[in-house]
Amino acid sequence: MKKIEVFVWSGINGLPSSSPFCLKVIAALRYKQIDHQITVVDRPPSWLKRGKLPAIKIDGQIVEDSTNILKLLDELVPNRALLYPTDEQKRAETLLLEDWSDESLYWFLVYSRWAILEHFNQFKAVAFKNLPAALRPIIPTLIRQKVLKRLEAQGIAQLPSSERLKHFQEACWCLEQKLSERSFLIDETITAADLAVFSILQIIKQSQLDDLSAVLSEYSLLTRWLDQIDTTINQPTLASL
């Protein structure tokens, strides 16, 4: 198998990418010990059909969408660190929780990063630092306007701050309950569901998003689980791949 080239957004706050979906793919590659090369871009390559990151190239094949990529990784390396369990019930639970993370939990991060002005200014200073100086005051603001419209349409922007945080607290509580029964969210090994949730919560934890990180810190099993996955995927032998 040839080396996989992974196209991602740039890193932030000590993480290899500012995008939870890019981080999810990088974590999966490291966990499965698959040789890969990370290519950081400041815009999605023109040859992408969906125009979104992450994306990978392998043997001339282009794959987009983090879940599609993780499924392919299991096909390429089926005998090591399966991300989707073979047991049908556990596989179904993995798929459901991964989708919930990508489609629901994700929006708490988006809101905190883009809608709260203090957080946006911190993110902007890092994420757009490579823009030409003349464009730095313009491009981030235009993108923010589009993101705010999406947040409004999604519904999270319509919630009072107290209600939004209550929903995030309930999400953390649910995850904490699952971790009270086992080492990881689905089983005793890391799955795609773990990596999807980890990628969002780890960004929240390391990006000084005070509204969410304060809630997250209240859940000891959840924060210990984050540290455990972080340690596992960042072992020197894995992180250097």
Side-chain angles (χ1 to χ4, degrees):
M1 184 177 68
K2 293 183 180 179
K3 179 180 285 190
I4 294 175
E5 185 175 9
V6 193
F7 297 84
V8 301
W9 297 111
S10 61
I12 191 170
N13 300 109
L15 296 168
S17 180
S18 60
S19 160
F21 304 118
C22 294
L23 187 59
K24 173 180 158 187
V25 169
I26 293 170
L29 286 161
R30 290 178 177 178
Y31 179 58
K32 289 184 72 69
Q33 301 181 47
I34 296 175
D35 195 20
H36 63 278
Q37 171 188 325
I38 295 176
T39 299
V40 175
V41 297
D42 57 9
R43 63 176 61 86
S46 59
W47 38 261
L48 290 178
K49 292 182 179 179
R50 300 186 184 187
K52 295 181 179 181
L53 298 175
I56 66 168
K57 273 187 177 180
I58 177 171
D59 293 337
Q61 180 183 7
I62 298 169
V63 183
E64 302 174 59
D65 184 84
S66 62
T67 298
N68 290 341
I69 292 170
L70 264 61
K71 289 176 180 177
L72 176 64
L73 298 184
D74 264 2
E75 293 176 15
L76 294 173
V77 185
N79 59 344
R80 183 170 64 240
L82 273 180
L83 301 170
Y84 299 92
T86 54
D87 177 86
E88 290 187 355
Q89 185 173 355
K90 291 177 180 178
R91 183 180 181 86
E93 191 176 358
T94 298
L95 289 166
L96 283 170
L97 192 53
E98 181 187 20
D99 185 68
W100 168 81
S101 179
D102 291 352
E103 302 297 335
S104 182
L105 186 65
Y106 166 70
W107 289 103
F108 291 104
L109 168 60
V110 176
Y111 183 91
S112 185
R113 175 183 275 176
W114 290 90
I116 298 176
L117 187 58
E118 180 184 355
H119 296 169
F120 170 70
N121 287 334
Q122 293 171 352
F123 174 64
K124 177 178 67 173
V126 178
F128 297 97
K129 63 183 178 182
N130 294 326
L131 279 178
L135 295 178
R136 279 180 217 150
I138 303 170
I139 299 299
T141 300
L142 291 176
I143 296 175
R144 183 174 188 249
Q145 290 172 354
K146 292 182 179 179
V147 173
L148 292 179
K149 288 181 180 178
R150 289 185 65 193
L151 288 167
E152 192 72 26
Q154 194 274 342
I156 193 169
Q158 300 178 31
L159 298 176
S161 176
S162 59
E163 189 174 349
R164 177 177 54 82
L165 291 176
K166 182 180 179 181
H167 284 310
F168 181 67
Q169 187 175 33
E170 288 175 346
C172 290
W173 179 84
C174 290
L175 294 168
E176 181 96 345
Q177 300 317 299
K178 293 188 71 64
L179 291 169
S180 68
E181 301 173 350
R182 56 185 70 90
S183 300
F184 298 99
L185 293 174
I186 305 298
D187 205 349
E188 294 303 317
T189 57
I190 292 172
T191 66
D194 292 280
L195 297 183
V197 175
F198 164 82
S199 298
I200 292 168
L201 296 186
Q202 192 70 354
I203 290 175
I204 289 171
K205 179 183 175 185
Q206 292 191 208
S207 295
Q208 299 175 329
L209 302 179
D210 299 339
D211 57 330
L212 302 181
S213 60
V215 173
L216 180 59
S217 66
E218 297 173 1
Y219 294 90
S220 59
L221 293 179
L222 195 52
T223 53
R224 196 178 310 139
W225 166 85
L226 282 173
D227 291 340
Q228 186 175 357
I229 294 183
D230 185 51
T231 299
T232 299
I233 64 174
N234 287 298
Q235 293 177 39
T237 54
L238 303 187
S240 62
L241 289 172

